[in-house]
Amino acid sequence: MSQLDFDTHNAFNLDEIYSVSGFLSLCHSTIENNIPTCWLKGEISNLSRPASGHWYFSLKDERGQVRCALFRLNQRNIKFNPENGMEILLHAAPTLYEARGDFQLIVRHLEPVGVGNLQAAFEQLKTKLRDKGLFDAKHKKPLPTKVDTIGVISSSNGAVIRDIIKVLNKRYPFAEILLFDCVVQGEGSAEKLAQALYAADKSERCDVLILARGGGSLEDLWAFNEEVLAKAIFATTTPIISAIGHETDTTIADFVADKRAPTPSAAAMMATPDRLELLTKLSRLHTNLLQQTQQSLANYQYQLEQLNLRIPKPNQQLNVFSQRLDGLHSNLNYYAKTTLNLNQSKLNTLFEQLKQHSPSADITHKKALNQLAKTQLRNSIKRTITEQNLHLSKLMQNLEKSMCSSLEQQQNKLSIYITGLNHLSPLNTLSRGYSISMLKNNRVLSTTIEVKIGTLMTTQLRDGKIYSKVKKIENIKKN
């Protein structure tokens, strides 16, 4: 026996016959006990995502491929979306799927080659939301020029809210600050930020919103790269400024927000005007107002002087115009009274003519005719109803007579039929001295052919039955 045959004999015991399931179980334990977990690099193909939530795919290179399974619980730390054709690096444990006899890898972790897990997820979501139009400039809302209340969505424990309050107290202390406290890092923080943003928007108390967080790594800022928060920002009706991390940090929230500030302090400055600038502008407006007022007074003074030069002795001319006005007023009163009297006379004449042609008498006559017509119609209806009732009564009497006559005819026919039936009845025949012979099954005997010597018979007479046995049969000879 060669060394190879000896080793094979020791490994599988050639004297033993395995069942298929036993052999697969042996292979399964051999693979898992002798091949450790390892890292593999290759290209994804045949990717499928059934309703169970697990991912199944093949990892291949130019010379071979192997089946892989990534179960749902191992997907928690995978932020990007695997696709066919993507080159990946995965950590997996080899095993044998005994139900089909397939060699496969149970994937524990995977990441794209050449780029980090989070960075790949960032680029994928960025491309997806850009294609949906969430970054388009046409959706950006302008910041308000007048700000009374600023809503801040951030954590109450961080330095962000203190920096914003410090800037606003110095720059624009007139605005009220509403803090919508929320966690900004960790599991579920994106959903909680979206809920806080929704509450701030629906409160309708804020003129502008600031979504803020301090600096940190890509993992620390990941809540602001989630799709649920991006959609919440896009759905807000209140203008929103994003101030996430430092100036070099960029998140998905920055692309969706109406404005991006490099820092939370810059967001506070962007949301409000500068108090000193407002005071300077107010002083400049005050100076312009004084100059415009003085210029207008000078123009009105000049116009007044010109009018005085054009109208000599204005008081004397005013007296003349006043006297003329009094005369016109007297004439107007006279003509008004005359016209009123004339029109009153015409009105009285027309009123008398109208009384002569008043339609009241005609209306009263028409009412009387209508009442008479109604009375005649009512009487006619009553007569018609009475006549119909009389006719109906006659019809009922005729119907009753007809029914009685028909019933009597039917009773007579029934008596005739009963008499005929009595004549044909077998009982009547028995009463005349005849009898009826029957076999044991109550079948009427009508010919001697139906009996033989010893046959039992029953003979029905008028007053009873006779039971007999045939001892002799005599047939009547036919001529």
Side-chain angles (χ1 to χ4, degrees):
M1 181 182 294
S2 65
Q3 183 63 36
L4 178 60
D5 293 337
F6 181 77
D7 293 339
T8 306
H9 175 79
N10 291 336
F12 294 103
N13 190 3
L14 295 178
D15 294 333
E16 182 179 353
I17 299 176
Y18 289 91
S19 65
V20 174
S21 60
F23 175 74
L24 290 174
S25 178
L26 177 63
C27 294
H28 178 269
S29 60
T30 302
I31 290 173
E32 291 193 344
N33 293 332
N34 293 278
I35 305 178
T37 59
C38 55
W39 288 89
L40 291 90
K41 184 173 73 171
E43 180 182 317
I44 296 176
S45 67
N46 301 321
L47 176 64
S48 65
R49 297 182 176 91
S52 62
H54 309 314
W55 294 349
Y56 301 99
F57 59 92
S58 296
L59 186 69
K60 68 176 184 177
D61 59 14
E62 64 277 3
R63 299 181 60 184
Q65 65 179 4
V66 61
R67 297 181 64 83
C68 302
L70 178 57
F71 297 121
R72 183 172 55 188
L73 293 179
N74 292 331
Q75 300 171 14
R76 289 174 295 181
N77 297 324
I78 299 176
K79 301 298 183 182
F80 73 100
N81 186 25
E83 297 175 353
N84 284 323
M86 179 180 291
E87 189 175 10
I88 61 170
L89 183 67
L90 61 80
H91 186 240
T95 186
L96 184 74
Y97 183 43
E98 298 181 38
R100 288 200 301 262
D102 290 342
F103 176 78
Q104 65 179 9
L105 300 177
I106 303 301
V107 181
R108 297 177 179 176
H109 177 73
L110 62 82
E111 59 185 47
V113 173
V115 65
N117 184 4
L118 295 180
Q119 187 63 36
F122 177 86
E123 295 298 333
Q124 284 183 337
L125 181 59
K126 180 180 175 182
T127 302
K128 176 183 177 181
L129 297 182
R130 181 192 294 114
D131 294 342
K132 288 185 176 181
L134 269 69
F135 303 163
D136 293 351
K138 63 182 180 180
H139 299 306
K140 306 297 183 184
K141 298 178 285 295
L143 298 181
T145 56
K146 182 178 181 298
V147 177
D148 294 325
T149 304
I150 300 174
V152 179
I153 295 92
S154 187
S155 172
S156 60
N157 299 323
V160 170
I161 186 62
R162 293 194 295 272
D163 293 342
I164 292 176
I165 293 174
K166 182 179 178 180
V167 171
L168 292 177
N169 286 338
K170 181 179 179 181
R171 178 179 175 84
Y172 194 76
F174 317 108
E176 180 184 1
I177 302 174
L178 293 180
L179 173 64
F180 294 86
D181 188 17
C182 185
V183 294
V184 294
Q185 183 178 339
E187 189 73 22
S189 55
E191 288 78 7
K192 294 176 181 178
L193 283 167
Q195 293 171 3
L197 187 62
Y198 177 82
D201 185 43
K202 293 304 178 183
S203 68
E204 299 183 353
R205 297 177 58 187
C206 304
D207 301 303
V208 65
L209 300 176
I210 298 176
L211 179 64
R213 189 206 188 281
S217 64
L218 182 59
E219 290 81 0
D220 295 336
L221 302 179
W222 190 251
F224 300 90
N225 291 321
E226 295 281 1
E227 184 174 359
V228 62
L229 180 58
K231 290 182 177 180
I233 295 173
F234 185 76
T236 57
T237 58
T238 308
I240 183 169
I241 303 172
S242 66
I244 314 301
H246 302 299
E247 186 173 357
T248 56
D249 295 324
T250 303
T251 65
I252 297 295
D254 296 329
F255 294 109
V256 185
D258 301 306
K259 295 288 182 182
R260 177 187 181 266
T263 62
S265 299
M269 297 178 67
M270 187 182 295
T272 58
D274 187 3
R275 177 179 58 178
L276 297 179
E277 291 179 1
L278 289 177
L279 292 175
T280 301
K281 184 177 180 180
L282 181 62
S283 177
R284 186 166 56 251
L285 291 174
H286 181 260
T287 301
N288 291 337
L289 180 60
L290 288 177
Q291 292 176 355
Q292 292 291 336
T293 302
Q294 291 174 359
Q295 184 64 40
S296 297
L297 289 175
N299 291 336
Y300 289 139
Q301 184 66 33
Y302 175 75
Q303 292 177 11
L304 182 60
E305 292 174 355
Q306 293 297 317
L307 289 173
N308 286 333
L309 293 175
R310 291 172 58 186
I311 305 174
K313 297 180 180 180
N315 291 333
Q316 184 177 358
Q317 292 194 16
L318 286 174
N319 292 332
V320 173
F321 287 140
S322 296
Q323 187 175 3
R324 183 181 300 175
L325 182 61
D326 290 338
L328 292 173
H329 185 267
S330 298
N331 292 335
L332 181 61
N333 287 336
Y334 172 75
Y335 285 118
K337 290 181 180 179
T338 303
T339 303
L340 181 62
N341 293 332
L342 180 62
N343 288 335
Q344 185 64 41
S345 177
K346 290 181 178 179
L347 183 62
N348 293 335
T349 303
L350 291 173
F351 184 73
E352 291 296 330
Q353 292 176 356
L354 182 62
K355 287 177 64 178
Q356 294 177 1
H357 297 84
S358 175
S360 300
D362 188 34
I363 291 173
T364 303
H365 180 66
K366 290 291 180 61
K367 285 184 177 180
L369 291 178
N370 287 338
Q371 187 64 33
L372 179 61
K374 289 181 180 178
T375 302
Q376 293 176 350
L377 178 61
R378 191 181 298 111
N379 294 335
S380 175
I381 291 172
K382 288 182 179 180
R383 287 194 301 271
T384 302
I385 292 174
T386 302
E387 292 174 356
Q388 292 296 328
N389 289 335
L390 292 175
H391 182 65
L392 181 61
S393 178
K394 291 181 180 179
L395 290 176
M396 290 294 293
Q397 293 176 359
N398 293 336
L399 178 61
E400 186 177 356
K401 292 179 180 180
S402 177
M403 290 176 61
C404 291
S405 177
S406 176
L407 182 59
E408 185 176 355
Q409 292 176 2
Q410 295 298 327
Q411 288 177 345
N412 292 334
K413 288 182 179 180
L414 180 60
S415 298
I416 295 172
Y417 292 152
I418 289 173
T419 302
L421 287 174
N422 286 331
H423 288 303
L424 297 176
S425 173
L427 298 177
N428 193 32
T429 303
L430 294 176
S431 64
R432 294 198 300 271
Y434 293 96
S435 64
I436 300 173
S437 296
M438 295 176 288
L439 300 176
K440 62 179 179 179
N441 56 0
N442 293 328
R443 184 162 56 87
V444 176
L445 182 63
S446 59
T447 176
T448 58
I449 298 174
E450 297 178 7
V451 296
K452 58 184 178 178
I453 303 300
T455 299
L456 298 177
M457 294 189 309
T458 303
T459 302
Q460 177 71 47
L461 301 174
R462 178 181 62 181
D463 54 354
K465 294 180 180 180
I466 297 175
Y467 298 94
S468 59
K469 179 189 251 186
V470 177
K471 290 185 178 181
K472 181 181 179 180
I473 301 173
E474 184 179 339
N475 292 323
I476 300 175
K477 295 181 180 181
K478 296 182 180 179
N479 294 326

